[in-house]
Structure formats: structure tokens, C-alpha cells
Amino acid sequence: MTENRPLVLVNNEAVLEELLRLAAAAGCDLRRVPDALAARPLWSSAPLVLVDPAGAREIQAERLPKRGRVVIVSPDASTIDSLQAAIELGAERVVELPTAETWLADAIADAAEGPGGPPGRVMAVVGGRGGAGASVFAAAVARAAARAGHRAMLVDCDPLAGGLDLVLGAESEKGLRWPEMNVKGRVAASSLRAALPGREGLKVVSGARKGFAPEPDAVTAVIEAGRRGGDIVVCDLPRELSATAGAALDLADLTVIVVPAELRACASASLVADRLKARGVVAQVLVRGPAPGGLTADEVAQAVGLPLMSWMPHQRGLAEALEKGEFTGRRGPLLDAARRALETLGVEQRVAS
């Protein structure tokens, strides 16, 4: 949006060219003005002001008022003149190109995304054994967050899964899947959400049933974009805890292992738990019914060696609904467990589903 464009007063062509390149990479337009007089009506409202030393001197001469988020961009080592201008302008900092490229790119992207609200939260979900229902639970949590009035994002980190868009019945929705996404470096939250399939406030970053594993850096960029945008980000992880899964775990505020109430599932989940602990991650356990051998939720959590988050009884009709592409996170034990997970994550339940 126009009001989110950084204001630029730069006379040095090399600096201007570099700023334009960084802005293009961030998916942002710059608003360039020819002089300080033209900058005056935009001075107070611009989210970020970028000037070179010559531009800083013009602003001083025009006696524009001090304001925050002013950065002086120098083509070489900062001079006494630039530092004096920074002091008089109240500039946030003086940066040198190309040394400060990464910092500038982030600052421009932040300005383009607009005023930041509270950051989002990140949950990682992993199955204690194959077929534990982790993908369905992850989808239910993301759907519950969206229905509670939050922006939500569901991220598929398992290249051998069938694709989370299938779980949601959104495989025909238009938008990018992992194989089409060329994610390198920082991603603007607004641009990411606009490119993804989804509905009712929930966006999904899905695999495409091609065995494609996103790079860890791409997963990190997507999750960080979601968090900056205020999303509740729910990541479905593979049990082998690959480097891709590790990228999500490193950003997760809460990790949940879904464990069926079965002896073999407990043995398998304890191995997953040990690998998580080796990464410094202490997960919580969601125990899923039924319990054919009579195991209680507390007994399962004790066998796995992790704290119990909650118990989810068997939900009749869920398997059939999934087969028909009718998963909606409907009322029942699955939705109740999803809400408890959001409470554990610290997410406010603003709107009743």
C-alpha cells in the first residue's frame, strides 16, 4: 500500500540503485522525492525514511522536524559529516553499503508490511508412530485458531505425506505449494499469505504429493513470516526429524507428540521423545484413543517420558469424513483437543466455533 512505502531522498546513484534492488527483493516500492521540500508533506507519515549524507544535509537546511525511523545510508565508511547529520536529525543509525545490506532489507520489508502487531505463536506436531493422526490434529489446531478469530497458517514439513491441503479438502484451491515456492531469505508476510491457498482465515503451505522436501532455510523464512504477521503457525513434522523438521522445531513455542493409547505406540514415541530432547526440545503428549488394552493417558505419558497435555477420545465418523474431503474441525473430541492445545500455546479463544 502507498502509505507503507519508505520515503527516499538520495542523490548518490549507486546508493539509490542498491536501495531499489533491496526493495524489489522485499516486494516493496520506494517513494523517491527530488528534494527536502518535496519530502515535507510526507515526512511525518512515512514508515521509514532513507537518506544519503547529501539528503541529510538538505533536510537539515529545510528544518524538517525530528522523527523516528530515519536512516542515513552511506556509500562508504561513515564520515564525521554523516555522523553530525545523524545527531542533528535524530537518525536511528548510519549504515554503510554493502555491509548493511541484510539489515536494510529487513528494515524495508518491515516498513512495507505496516505497523507490527503482537507476534504470532508457533506449534510443532509430530506423530509418536506412523498413522498416529498428527497431520489431522495439526490441521484441527490450525482450523480452530482460524475459527477463534486468529490468522492461522498450516505448514507441511513432511515430504512423504499426502499433502495437508488434502486433509483440509483444499487440494483444488488455487495457490502455491512447496515445489512452486522459490523462497530465499526473508519473505513478506502479506505477500506470502496472498500466494497461498486457503479459506476462512486459514492458509496452508502444503506439499504437492511429489516427495518434495523444502529446504530448512525456506521453512524458517515461512514460519518467521507467519509469526511476524501475527499468525498462529502450526507445523506438521515427519517422525524422522529431518533438517527441515529441525528448522520448525527451533522456532516452535510448543511441540506436541500425538501418541495412540497402545503399547507399541508408546515404545515408538519414546524414541521420538529422546531425539527431541537431544535437540533441547521438551514436548508434551496428546494421547489419542481408543485404548484397546486399557492404557490410561497418564500411563502413556509416563511411558513416553513427557508431560501429558491432554487426552483425546476416539471420534466416530472422523475417518469417513476425511475420506470424503469433509474435514472441518467439527465439534467433538478432536476440536476439544485442538482448543486445549491452543490454550497451552497461550492463544486467546476470542470467538466460539
Side-chain angles (χ1 to χ4, degrees):
M1 298 176 62
T2 301
E3 60 267 24
N4 287 340
R5 288 191 293 172
L7 181 65
V8 176
L9 174 53
V10 169
N11 295 291
N12 185 288
E13 290 298 325
V15 171
L16 179 61
E17 182 178 346
E18 184 64 11
L19 291 178
L20 290 172
R21 183 184 69 81
L22 293 174
C28 170
D29 291 328
L30 301 178
R31 182 153 191 170
R32 188 187 180 193
V33 291
D35 52 44
L37 182 63
R40 181 177 287 278
L42 307 168
W43 182 252
S44 298
S45 61
L48 174 69
V49 178
L50 301 170
V51 299
D52 61 2
R57 289 191 293 270
E58 287 188 40
I59 289 169
Q60 287 176 273
E62 187 65 23
R63 297 184 180 278
L64 296 183
K66 287 186 178 182
R67 54 150 289 164
R69 301 290 287 158
V70 177
V71 177
I72 299 178
V73 185
S74 176
D76 47 36
S78 300
T79 64
I80 297 296
D81 181 53
S82 294
L83 293 174
Q84 183 61 35
I87 292 170
E88 295 181 11
L89 282 176
E92 179 178 319
R93 64 196 298 172
V94 178
V95 299
E96 178 190 349
L97 291 175
T99 306
E101 280 187 359
T102 300
W103 185 89
L104 271 173
D106 286 349
I108 290 170
D110 284 340
E113 290 179 15
R121 304 283 287 171
V122 181
M123 180 187 298
V125 180
V126 60
R129 67 155 169 79
S135 296
V136 173
F137 180 68
V141 173
R143 178 58 62 85
R147 289 191 167 185
H150 299 277
R151 287 159 51 114
M153 184 180 299
L154 183 60
V155 182
D156 193 347
C157 297
D158 188 350
L160 298 181
L164 288 176
D165 53 353
L166 271 176
V167 177
L168 294 171
E171 64 273 16
S172 298
E173 295 283 331
K174 293 183 179 179
L176 298 181
R177 272 68 174 175
W178 274 125
E180 294 90 46
M181 295 173 65
N182 184 22
V183 179
K184 294 182 179 179
R186 182 189 174 109
V187 180
S190 56
S191 299
L192 177 64
R193 285 189 66 86
L196 296 175
R199 59 181 70 163
E200 300 176 1
L202 172 58
K203 294 292 186 175
V204 58
V205 188
S206 178
R209 293 159 289 281
K210 296 180 179 178
F212 179 89
E215 293 294 328
D217 288 348
V219 170
T220 297
V222 165
I223 295 174
E224 288 182 340
R227 193 202 291 274
R228 285 197 313 274
D231 286 40
I232 307 305
V233 184
V234 185
C235 305
D236 180 31
L237 308 187
R239 292 176 58 245
E240 70 271 16
L241 302 183
S242 61
T244 296
L249 287 168
D250 290 343
L251 295 172
D253 301 296
L254 171 66
T255 299
V256 177
I257 302 182
V258 180
V259 187
E262 304 163 359
L263 185 59
R264 288 185 64 192
C266 292
S268 177
S270 67
L271 297 177
V272 176
D274 288 343
R275 293 188 179 185
L276 288 171
K277 291 174 184 177
R279 290 190 65 92
V281 177
V282 178
Q284 297 190 33
V285 172
L286 170 70
V287 181
R288 180 176 68 79
L295 284 174
T296 67
D298 287 331
E299 287 172 337
V300 171
Q302 184 176 7
V304 176
L306 290 174
L308 174 66
M309 185 185 73
S310 62
W311 156 258
M312 183 177 73
H314 175 67
Q315 181 163 326
R316 291 184 178 180
L318 179 60
E320 291 82 358
L322 288 169
E323 284 296 316
K324 296 176 181 178
E326 296 175 355
F327 171 78
T328 59
R330 57 186 181 169
R331 295 184 182 277
L334 177 60
L335 179 57
D336 292 342
R339 285 173 168 167
R340 287 194 294 273
L342 288 172
E343 291 173 1
T344 304
L345 187 61
V347 176
E348 180 185 358
Q349 303 292 299
R350 297 193 294 232
V351 180
S353 297

